[in-house]
Amino acid sequence: MISFLIPALLLLAIVLALLLRPFIFSKGSESTSRRQMNAAIYQEELEKLATERAAGRIDAQEYEMSHAEMRQRLFQDAEVEDDKAVMGSTKKVIIGLSVFIVLLSVGLYLILGDAYRVAQRNDQKPMTQAGVEQMVADFALKMEKDPGNLKGWAMLARSYRILGRNQDAAKAYARAGNFINDDPELLAEYADVLVGVANGSFAGKPTLLLQQSLKLDPNNLLALWLSGTAAYTNGNYSSAAQTWEKLAKLLPPGSDEARAIAGSIEEARSKGGIAATPAAAGKTISGQIELSAELKPKVRPGDMLMVIARQPGERMPVAVLKVPVSQFPFSFVLDDSLAMNPNKRISELSEVNIEVRISKTGMAKAEPGDLMSAVQTVKLGSAKVRILVNQVYP
């Protein structure tokens, strides 16, 4: 509250100072009343009248008549209340205006503003990891007192999953009971944490949960990914490729997820000895990326691997595969799903220039310290392309 009131009062003081500046810094010599001004004017007129009488331009009778008229006007003006007295003192004006402006400001803010909310928002602090964990812990204590709240257990399970606490998440999902049975996303999440607890094994309940999830929603993204991963782990590369191909059709073309799944599909095909589909035959480029031994120590978790294809002679990429660095050799495939411009696809070209870059930031522009390969010109439809990352961008 104080953090709001202090700036507000300072602003009000500045406004008052600007508005009242003419009164505060006014000079006494400049303060002349109407009565004083009239007296000075009549005195000047009387002097002019006397000069004309002495010069003989008017006679004695005209002089007396004009002099009497001026005296009468002077007496009439003298009866009018002085404007300086009507205005009052400068101090009274300053006090009056100040009170009026303050009351007007407070009144308008009470009607239109909300100091409490402003102060409350200013007092809020950024949420930290410790703060999130404390909130989840408090929520867990609340759920222990209300064990029949199945929806609450599902919410707690999701919170544990986000924090990476798979064992706690699995227990919470189990206590959610029938609440998750009709929710394909919750079923897939439950399977995911069970696989994490089992060190990557899909045997038993995880597989049953994924089957139930896909029965409710055949296009559930998480369930499709996990089902393909389960098939791949069990050596069923054909099933993995088919499942991931279905998932790829549901992802936005050119997205990071689409690029990652394309690489996984190519890897499953390669390990299963599966040829490309007729529709894609001759319109893709696939191969493996290797990293030189001397550069392996420079790679860190979180680095991004980018496979960039350009039309020869142009700088704008026609396709970009961007995935987190995993292991080498890395299998990749470039196709129209990775197009940067839907009106210019890789399948329309006969050959492209390909380079590979490992970036710390994932930025499109190469930066000092990025690991790179030499540029290779590759014909469309090529498979088993080998690219070696063996350079450091200066």
Side-chain angles (χ1 to χ4, degrees):
M1 192 70 174
I2 297 299
S3 61
F4 167 76
L5 289 177
I6 292 177
L9 291 174
L10 287 175
L11 288 174
L12 183 58
I14 293 173
V15 171
L16 288 173
L18 292 174
L19 290 176
L20 302 177
R21 185 174 182 274
F23 299 99
I24 298 174
F25 298 101
S26 61
K27 296 180 180 179
S29 61
E30 297 175 352
S31 178
T32 304
S33 69
R34 183 186 301 172
R35 182 179 297 172
Q36 291 172 333
M37 292 177 64
N38 289 342
I41 292 172
Y42 288 131
Q43 179 65 34
E44 184 178 352
E45 292 294 328
L46 288 173
E47 291 177 355
K48 288 182 180 180
L49 186 63
T51 302
E52 291 180 354
R53 173 74 176 85
R57 288 194 288 271
I58 59 175
D59 56 22
Q61 186 178 3
E62 291 176 338
Y63 173 79
E64 291 297 334
M65 289 178 61
S66 298
H67 194 278
E69 182 182 351
M70 287 185 182
R71 286 199 305 271
Q72 182 66 26
R73 288 166 54 192
L74 178 60
F75 293 146
Q76 291 177 350
D77 289 343
E79 293 177 355
V80 179
E81 189 175 5
D82 197 344
D83 58 350
K84 193 172 182 181
V86 172
M87 179 181 288
S89 67
T90 301
K91 183 181 294 185
K92 291 181 179 179
V93 174
I94 294 176
I95 294 174
L97 282 176
S98 299
V99 172
F100 173 75
I101 292 173
V102 171
L103 292 177
L104 178 64
S105 301
V106 173
L108 288 175
Y109 190 78
L110 290 176
I111 296 172
L112 304 175
D114 193 336
Y116 177 75
R117 287 187 181 179
V118 173
Q120 191 177 44
R121 185 176 300 174
N122 290 337
D123 291 339
Q124 288 180 349
K125 296 181 180 179
M127 184 62 69
T128 62
Q129 178 70 16
V132 173
E133 292 181 353
Q134 184 59 49
M135 288 176 60
V136 173
D138 293 341
F139 186 43
L141 292 175
K142 180 180 178 181
M143 289 308 305
E144 291 294 343
K145 299 177 182 179
D146 186 16
N149 185 354
L150 302 184
K151 182 178 179 180
W153 284 111
M155 293 175 60
L156 180 61
R158 278 186 157 173
S159 300
Y160 281 139
R161 180 172 176 266
I162 293 173
L163 294 175
R165 296 167 58 176
N166 287 333
Q167 289 188 351
D168 292 330
K171 294 176 182 178
Y173 276 120
R175 298 187 69 171
N178 296 331
F179 181 81
I180 69 173
N181 288 346
D182 297 325
D183 190 319
E185 188 68 19
L186 288 174
L187 291 169
E189 291 175 0
Y190 189 10
D192 186 30
V193 298
L194 289 177
V195 171
V197 172
N199 296 321
S201 174
F202 286 83
K205 192 168 185 176
T207 300
L208 296 175
L209 290 171
L210 291 175
Q211 291 173 352
Q212 186 178 354
S213 174
L214 290 173
K215 184 178 180 180
L216 293 170
D217 180 10
N219 293 328
N220 185 272
L221 301 183
L222 179 58
L224 285 172
W225 165 251
L226 292 174
S227 294
T229 305
Y232 185 92
T233 302
N234 294 328
N236 191 348
Y237 301 116
S238 176
S239 177
Q242 290 178 1
T243 304
W244 285 338
E245 285 171 355
K246 182 177 181 180
L247 172 60
K249 295 177 182 178
L250 301 173
L251 298 174
S255 64
D256 291 343
E257 293 81 1
R259 296 166 186 168
I261 203 67
S264 299
I265 293 170
E266 179 59 28
E267 188 170 354
R269 287 174 178 167
S270 177
K271 289 194 174 183
I274 305 168
T277 60
K283 297 184 179 181
T284 64
I285 297 174
S286 60
Q288 287 192 333
I289 300 168
E290 297 180 355
L291 179 65
S292 64
E294 59 269 21
L295 293 184
K296 286 184 178 180
K298 295 182 178 293
V299 177
R300 295 288 183 271
D303 291 355
M304 299 301 296
L305 173 69
M306 293 183 285
V307 185
I308 306 170
R310 296 183 175 90
Q311 183 176 355
E314 295 191 4
R315 297 181 60 183
M316 182 65 184
V318 293
V320 177
L321 173 63
K322 181 179 177 182
V323 295
V325 171
S326 54
Q327 60 181 7
F328 293 95
F330 175 80
S331 298
F332 73 93
V333 59
L334 299 176
D335 56 25
D336 286 344
S337 68
L338 305 175
M340 300 297 292
N341 183 350
N343 297 321
K344 191 169 187 179
R345 301 177 180 274
I346 193 173
S347 60
E348 300 171 357
L349 305 176
S350 59
E351 62 181 16
V352 294
N353 289 338
I354 297 179
E355 66 172 320
V356 176
R357 182 154 52 88
I358 299 176
S359 171
K360 302 294 182 185
T361 61
M363 301 296 292
K365 184 179 179 181
E367 298 179 335
D370 286 356
L371 309 183
M372 305 179 65
S373 71
V375 178
Q376 294 187 28
T377 302
V378 181
K379 292 186 178 299
L380 208 67
S382 299
K384 299 182 180 179
V385 177
R386 294 288 183 269
I387 301 177
L388 177 64
V389 178
N390 60 354
Q391 303 176 20
V392 179
Y393 189 79

